[in-house]
Amino acid sequence: MAHVVMLKHPKTGIMKKGFFGFSWTTLFFGGFPAIFRGDLVIGLVFIVLQLLTWGFAGLVWAFIYNKSYTTKLIEQGYELDDHPSVESRARAKLGVVAPVSTPATALV
């Protein structure tokens, strides 16, 4: 089951929803969730793959897509901005390392 984690871009302040876990919407609706999230090319390619594989690609992609989408947002500069328990689960599932905070005395 997919879980939502909020992401925030530190420079612009734009908030987006990130997802991790199995994507039921991708399983049932194919490439349309990707298209609605702004991944037009990925969504269209996925629809073609699903047609060519008689739907089997949908089962495989449902396990992969949420992590792929959220990781792409993190690579664009978005940072996790949610409750600490949600962030820790998201980091574990996405393979994202927590930022290292330096003590204030170390900066002097």
Side-chain angles (χ1 to χ4, degrees), residues 49-67:
L49 283 174
Q50 204 169 13
L51 291 172
L52 293 175
T53 63
W54 293 42
F56 180 71
L59 180 62
V60 174
W61 193 242
F63 284 99
I64 299 170
Y65 181 64
N66 281 337
K67 180 178 179 177

Side-chain angles (χ1 to χ4, degrees), residues 29-42:
F29 300 111
F32 291 105
I35 293 170
F36 294 144
R37 291 180 189 172
D39 284 341
L40 182 63
V41 174
I42 297 291

Side-chain angles (χ1 to χ4, degrees), residues 74 79-80 84 87-92 94-102:
I74 291 171
E79 297 174 350
L80 298 176
E87 283 187 22
S88 64
R89 286 187 308 161
R91 287 185 198 287
L94 298 170
V96 176
V97 179
V100 178
S101 61
T102 58

